[in-house]
Amino acid sequence: MRGCFFRAEAGVGGVLWTGGGEPTIWPPLPEAVRISAAHGMVNCLYTNGVRLALEPRLATRLLEPTAMMIFVRISINAIEPTTIRKHWGVRDPDEISPQIDGLEQLYIARELHAEQYRSLNLPVPSIQVSTIVDTVNVDDLPLICGT
């Protein structure tokens, strides 16, 4: 990966990895996260969680203490198959269901590294869920919260 395009020396305290798409589909993401951490910055990630389910090792790599990940936020906007179809515009709700598996992979990875974070006196990364509420998915909110 070429030189770092941001620097803590310039006053950048952290990097939020997000985008107009899904940041976890970018193969160099784990390396880029480590580079920013090596430059003294913390990292945060917004994801839909699907790649974390498809590549469980990705969650482990992103939550290693050397990544200095403060939080990972998964956007889960629907649970019920009918709501998933309406909200995401997909025919098969199984296209989105890996989000829950991705969330589970994050919890597994965090547990795997938690003691190492504590021994280094670092905060254990927060795992968060965000939801865009609209008229299509409002009835799924209890299910989303329960998940």
Side-chain angles (χ1 to χ4, degrees):
M1 189 171 175
R2 289 189 300 156
C4 198
F5 49 88
F6 43 76
R7 295 264 192 218
E9 295 86 12
V12 177
V15 180
L16 171 60
W17 300 94
T18 186
E22 174 53 38
T24 61
I25 66 170
W26 186 47
L29 179 64
E31 180 187 354
V33 166
R34 269 182 232 4
I35 290 171
S36 68
H39 282 87
M41 295 174 280
V42 297
N43 290 284
C44 304
L45 172 67
Y46 286 178
T47 177
N48 64 20
V50 172
R51 295 288 293 183
L52 301 173
L54 299 175
E55 297 177 36
R57 183 156 157 52
L58 180 58
T60 302
R61 292 177 66 204
L62 290 171
L63 290 185
E64 289 173 350
T66 56
M68 294 295 295
M69 190 66 68
I70 298 298
F71 72 79
V72 177
R73 183 173 296 157
I74 292 185
S75 177
I76 298 177
N77 299 313
I79 298 288
E80 285 291 321
T82 330
T83 310
I84 289 172
R85 280 188 200 96
K86 288 179 185 174
H87 184 83
W88 290 103
V90 296
R91 289 188 187 142
D92 183 4
D94 289 338
E95 292 178 43
I96 301 300
S97 63
Q99 289 183 300
I100 305 304
D101 296 336
L103 182 61
E104 183 178 11
Q105 289 303 319
L106 282 174
Y107 280 108
I108 291 168
R110 183 175 71 174
E111 187 60 31
L112 177 70
H113 295 302
E115 193 52 47
Q116 191 177 7
Y117 270 92
R118 289 184 192 102
S119 71
L120 294 169
N121 224 12
L122 296 172
V124 177
S126 170
I127 298 171
Q128 306 170 358
V129 173
S130 67
T131 303
I132 297 170
V133 181
D134 60 22
T135 56
V136 172
N137 72 344
V138 70
D139 291 336
D140 270 17
L141 286 179
L143 291 170
I144 292 168
C145 292
T147 299

